[in-house]
């Protein structure tokens, strides 16, 4: 089992968020044209027009568990066959946070990256990644349509990456200690006092979106339409909610194994989680359930992107095509704990119930999931009469919440 999907995401360096400070107000290096619902400017980069001769290598940045080559477990290897069939030697570097991924991509040393939605717009706006030619990805037609051309992986209808997998941030609770069974995020916000000192929350500025999502339902007068598009007043309301929550928080988690232990020993009884955490906890006999609350949830949809400075673009495209192929995408989804992006992967999973467990084919389920996106000053909800708060502001607010 991998260590943590996004371990330590809350430990954010200020330099990592500077790229967002100018989004919506200035042109990133390399010039560009205004594009996208957010209105920020992107460099005028072109996608690869055709595949060439494989360059012999590809340097990959990935979340732990996404690119296994047998070195961690000889039985878990979806790299060796690719190397043999293409001649592209794969070098993998894993990262622990989206901010680390952004910093590493800035070096220009890597060809492709598995980026989450809280990193993708930063990479696009800065010109670190280029548009992708989806016609060169043979498996692209089999990717779920609902994951294509979305705000976190495209700009103005131009694709900047290939979807990899997705999942929701769920509400988990101890069935023996939390009664009645909750159906709302109110269990960790307005009603958190019922489990005082035993509430757990995800340790990241992006968790502010969870509070904003709850306020969308409970305080419609705030006018929140997108949990990642918050003006100053809306952000302040989310911050106030999270400060009030903190009095009841036992732990802010980033390592999922620690959350499993906390729910097993009862030091945490209710809080945000991932499906894989619930699965592990249940397998270890913890009396827990995980639900998608009535307000919906935040979640992730990760994207394979190609570096604008890549020297091995043919190998990069072939690698991405391999990663999202049915069999490999199925292997990764099971190993990692998420829904695969390729619809044909569901027929390839070792566990015939995997796709059902992770709601891979349940679009009604994922219609309730607001996938992570990068907050920028140009409001992602389309508002033009107000300036929204960017990721730098969210990082500052999260520090304020944690220190309150």
């Amino acid at each position: 089992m991998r260590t943590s999907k996004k371990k330590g995401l809350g430990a954010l360096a200020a330099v990592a968020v500077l790229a967002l400070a100018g989004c919506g107000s200035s042109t990133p290096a390399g010039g560009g044209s205004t594009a996208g619902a957010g209105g920020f400017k992107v460099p005028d980069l072109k996608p690869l027009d055709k595949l060439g001769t494989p360059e012999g290598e590809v340097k990959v940045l990935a979340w732990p568990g996404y690119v296994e080559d047998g070195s961690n477990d000889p039985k878990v290897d979806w790299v060796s066959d690719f190397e043999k069939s293409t001649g592209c030697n794969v070098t993998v570097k894993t990262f622990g946070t989206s901010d680390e991924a952004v910093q590493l991509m800035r070096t220009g040393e890597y060809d492709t990256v598995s980026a989450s939605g809280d990193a993708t717009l930063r990479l696009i706006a800065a010109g670190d990644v280029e548009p992708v030619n989806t016609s060169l990805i043979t498996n692209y037609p089999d990717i779920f349509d609902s994951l294509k051309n979305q705000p976190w992986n495209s700009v103005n209808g131009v694709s900047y990456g290939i979807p990899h997998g997705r999942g929701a941030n769920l509400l988990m609770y101890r069935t023996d200690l939390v009664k009645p069974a909750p159906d709302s995020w109110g269990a960790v916000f307005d009603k958190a006092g019922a489990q005082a000192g035993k509430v757990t929350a995800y340790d990241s500025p992006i968790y502010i979106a969870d509070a904003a999502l709850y306020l969308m339902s409970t305080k419609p007068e705030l006018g929140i339409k997108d949990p990642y598009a918050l003006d100053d007043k809306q952000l302040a309301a989310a911050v106030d909610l999270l400060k009030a929550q903190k009095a009841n928080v036992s732990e802010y988690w980033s390592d999922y194994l620690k959350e499993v232990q906390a729910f097993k020993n009862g030091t945490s009884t209710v809080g945000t989680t991932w499906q894989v955490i619930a699965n592990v906890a249940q397998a270890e006999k913890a009396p827990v359930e995980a639900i998608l609350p009535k307000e919906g949830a935040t979640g992730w949809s990760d994207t394979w992107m190609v570096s604008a400075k890549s020297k091995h673009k043919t190998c990069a495209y072939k690698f991405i095509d391999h990663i999202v192929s049915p069999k490999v995408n199925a292997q990764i989804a099971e190993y990692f704990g998420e829904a695969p992006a390729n619809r044909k992967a569901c027929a390839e999973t070792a566990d015939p119930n995997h796709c059902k467990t992770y709601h891979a084919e349940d679009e009604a389920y994922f219609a309730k999931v607001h996938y992570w996106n990068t907050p920028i000053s140009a409001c992602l909800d389309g508002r033009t009469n107000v300036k929204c708060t960017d990721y730098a502001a969210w990082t500052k607010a999260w520090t304020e919440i944690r220190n309150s």
Side-chain angles (χ1 to χ4, degrees):
M1 187 67 70
R2 57 179 172 73
T3 54
S4 174
K5 180 180 189 295
K6 294 173 175 60
K7 185 177 180 181
L9 213 157
L12 301 172
V15 66
V17 299
L18 289 179
L20 285 180
C23 285
S25 60
S26 63
T27 304
S33 58
T34 301
F40 66 90
K41 296 183 178 182
V42 296
D44 187 16
L45 300 171
K46 304 298 182 184
L48 188 67
D49 60 348
K50 62 180 180 179
L51 296 178
T53 302
E55 302 88 353
E57 65 176 315
V58 59
K59 297 181 178 180
V60 180
L61 275 176
W63 288 112
Y66 268 11
V67 186
E68 293 296 310
D69 60 4
S71 57
N72 291 320
D73 182 343
K75 298 179 181 178
V76 183
D77 180 1
W78 39 83
V79 169
S80 297
D81 287 346
F82 168 78
E83 292 178 325
K84 292 176 183 177
S85 64
T86 64
C88 300
N89 182 62
V90 179
T91 301
V92 183
K93 181 175 178 60
T94 59
F95 52 85
T97 72
S98 287
D99 297 290
E100 184 182 352
V102 170
Q103 288 294 300
L104 289 168
M105 283 299 286
R106 291 267 151 86
T107 67
E109 295 179 9
Y110 301 92
D111 301 299
T112 182
V113 59
S114 61
S116 292
D118 54 338
T120 50
L121 291 190
R122 284 186 274 174
L123 295 171
I124 293 169
D128 295 317
V129 296
E130 66 186 27
V132 295
N133 185 342
T134 58
S135 68
L136 300 180
I137 304 295
T138 62
N139 290 290
Y140 190 72
D142 299 323
I143 300 295
F144 286 105
D145 291 338
S146 61
L147 297 179
K148 298 176 180 177
N149 297 315
Q150 296 299 321
W152 59 89
N153 60 27
S154 68
V155 176
N156 201 29
V158 177
S159 295
Y160 276 80
I162 306 300
H164 169 95
R166 56 179 167 173
N169 298 315
L170 304 174
L171 176 65
M172 185 161 73
Y173 63 97
R174 280 279 298 250
T175 56
D176 57 336
L177 300 175
V178 181
K179 296 182 179 181
D183 65 353
S184 166
W185 287 112
V188 298
F189 290 124
D190 292 339
K191 298 180 180 179
Q195 297 293 321
K198 295 187 177 182
V199 175
T200 186
Y202 189 46
D203 192 6
S204 167
I206 207 67
Y207 183 64
I208 292 172
D210 290 58
L213 179 70
Y214 181 64
L215 292 173
M216 282 173 61
S217 296
T218 57
K219 292 193 175 182
E221 64 271 19
L222 287 170
I224 300 174
K225 303 300 182 184
D226 183 327
Y228 306 101
L230 306 180
D231 59 33
D232 288 333
K233 181 180 179 180
Q234 293 165 339
L235 177 63
V239 169
D240 287 344
L241 183 62
L242 290 167
K243 285 182 176 179
Q245 179 197 52
K246 187 185 177 185
N248 299 299
V249 171
S250 57
E251 181 181 20
Y252 291 95
W253 68 273
S254 56
D255 184 332
Y256 87 81
L257 291 178
K258 290 182 179 179
E259 191 187 25
V260 169
Q261 291 303 312
F263 271 85
K264 284 179 64 177
N265 61 34
T267 56
S268 292
T269 59
V270 65
T272 185
T273 196
W274 300 325
Q275 184 65 57
V276 64
I277 298 175
N279 293 350
V280 172
Q282 290 170 343
E284 296 184 9
K285 307 304 181 183
V288 299
E289 291 289 346
I291 64 164
L292 182 74
K294 61 185 180 182
E295 300 89 0
T298 60
W300 73 87
S301 171
D302 291 342
T303 303
W304 283 104
M305 311 184 89
V306 177
S307 170
K309 299 178 182 178
S310 171
K311 298 178 181 178
H312 315 106
K313 291 184 181 179
T314 293
C315 278
Y317 270 76
K318 286 183 174 292
F319 174 79
I320 294 172
D321 207 5
H322 172 74
I323 286 293
V324 300
S325 62
K327 185 176 180 179
V328 176
N329 203 221
Q331 290 175 314
I332 298 171
E334 286 194 280
Y335 183 76
F336 188 82
E338 64 182 352
N342 190 319
R343 62 169 58 89
K344 291 183 177 180
C346 289
E348 300 288 346
T349 57
D351 175 5
N353 293 316
H354 179 83
C355 280
K356 182 178 180 180
T357 299
Y358 288 87
H359 304 275
E361 300 171 298
D362 188 350
E363 294 300 347
Y365 177 91
F366 278 109
K368 301 174 184 177
V369 176
H370 297 256
Y371 297 110
W372 281 348
N373 207 341
T374 310
I376 59 176
S377 58
C379 297
L380 295 170
D381 59 8
R383 285 180 291 169
T384 58
N385 61 337
V386 67
K387 184 178 181 180
C388 277
T389 52
D390 62 16
Y391 197 56
W394 283 41
T395 301
K396 181 179 179 181
W398 186 247
T399 300
E400 180 183 332
I401 292 163
R402 296 286 270 110
N403 292 334
S404 64

